[in-house]
Amino acid sequence: MAGSRSEWASAALHNANTKCNVIVPIWSKRVKDSDMEHSFQRLSTDLEVAVDCDTVNLDSLTLDIAELLDRFVKFRSFSALSHGGGRESNMQYMAVLILLAQYLKKVSPSSEPGEAHSFIHQISISLVMDTTEQWNDKRLDLLKILQESKRSWKDARHELLVWATVNYYQNKILQYKIDDRTELMRENIIKIMENCSKFVTYFDSEISQCASYDELMKTIGKINLIFHEI
């Protein structure tokens, strides 16, 4: 961009055709609570004006994450509706949404997402609400839900790919030597976003190429999680 343009002017020009162009705050370690509160209120106001979303809560965030994961594993366009964004940037954006959910849990400790609307939504809720240890304790049970449905690999493939994505996210991207998930993400959000970008390449070249349940489990190193082919 020309040196005479400010960063914001350049961004406005670059994003001129997007249909929803609001600023989502990133609750990093350097952001004061008062600034985050102000930014969150602005986000809520901007979304209400842009898409008539009257509130940002754990329900809306987990539904957004579920939609993002669904689009990601199906290689659906992220830009068809918004006219902006791609696979890598949206996987990074998922980290921002998860961190935003951690902020909501902090300011409203008793808040809980509502009942899951789908298997992918259920996994998205787990991604937001569960630690890595809690996820590892329940991931087999989540797989058994698909197993008990007696669906073929072809029919269950997308849900299994979402499961594999969240499993990687929990055990690789968010696995740091810090007990507090919120502090982990706030201190390492840039590194987490970088790892999200690397994961897209791994998913596209390895995980998404699996042609059977056994091949998927072998790829992610969990061949013995359940006993027979879905």
Side-chain angles (χ1 to χ4, degrees):
M1 288 293 180
S4 60
R5 290 195 190 123
S6 70
E7 180 180 355
W8 283 108
S10 297
L13 179 64
H14 180 73
N15 296 319
N17 292 322
T18 59
K19 293 189 176 181
C20 181
N21 192 20
V22 299
I23 297 175
V24 179
I26 300 178
W27 190 36
S28 72
K29 193 69 173 178
R30 294 186 297 175
V31 177
K32 297 178 181 178
D33 286 349
S34 58
D35 291 337
M36 184 62 189
E37 181 180 2
H38 173 76
S39 298
F40 181 77
Q41 290 174 349
R42 176 178 173 178
L43 170 65
S44 299
T45 300
D46 288 348
L47 284 174
E48 184 175 5
V49 172
V51 293
D52 197 26
C53 175
D54 59 355
T55 184
V56 179
N57 54 34
L58 291 177
D59 258 343
S60 61
L61 287 175
T62 54
L63 283 168
D64 281 349
I65 291 171
E67 175 65 18
L68 188 155
L69 287 168
D70 184 72
R71 285 182 178 273
F72 179 78
V73 302
K74 292 179 179 177
F75 288 84
R76 293 166 59 200
S77 171
F78 284 100
S79 60
L81 296 177
S82 65
H83 294 179
R87 290 175 61 73
E88 185 175 325
S89 61
N90 273 276
M91 187 52 61
Q92 292 177 336
Y93 180 54
M94 188 169 77
V96 175
L97 292 179
I98 295 171
L99 189 54
L100 188 59
Q102 302 305 312
Y103 172 75
L104 290 180
K105 289 163 63 178
K106 175 182 181 293
V107 298
S108 183
S110 62
S111 62
E112 294 279 346
E115 185 176 350
H117 300 284
S118 65
F119 180 79
I120 293 178
H121 188 209
Q122 184 176 1
I123 288 181
S124 301
I125 291 173
S126 179
L127 178 59
V128 167
M129 302 300 292
D130 294 337
T131 64
T132 298
E133 291 75 18
Q134 290 169 330
W135 162 259
N136 287 337
D137 285 342
K138 69 169 54 173
R139 60 183 176 177
L140 175 57
D141 292 332
L142 290 168
L143 277 182
K144 286 181 178 178
I145 293 174
L146 291 180
Q147 182 187 30
E148 291 167 359
S149 71
K150 306 298 183 182
R151 295 161 67 195
S152 66
W153 159 258
K154 181 179 179 181
D155 291 338
R157 178 176 178 271
H158 292 125
E159 285 93 339
L160 286 165
L161 291 180
V162 170
W163 180 93
T165 297
V166 172
N167 187 64
Y168 185 97
Y169 211 97
Q170 286 277 25
N171 284 286
K172 300 292 185 181
I173 295 177
L174 296 182
Q175 186 65 285
Y176 287 80
K177 293 182 179 180
I178 301 176
D179 292 334
D180 190 317
R181 168 66 61 87
T182 300
E183 290 305 305
L184 180 157
M185 295 197 72
R186 293 190 70 190
E187 291 180 7
N188 298 280
I189 188 60
I190 300 300
K191 183 64 176 178
I192 288 171
M193 293 173 73
E194 290 173 351
N195 288 337
C196 287
S197 297
K198 295 176 182 177
F199 169 72
V200 174
T201 301
Y202 172 65
F203 179 90
D204 292 354
S205 62
E206 301 288 339
I207 295 179
S208 69
Q209 302 304 310
C210 295
S212 69
Y213 172 79
D214 284 345
E215 189 176 344
L216 176 64
M217 292 298 105
K218 184 176 181 179
T219 298
I220 65 175
K222 300 295 177 185
I223 190 66
N224 294 320
L225 275 179
I226 62 178
F227 300 106
H228 64 267
E229 179 80 11
I230 291 180

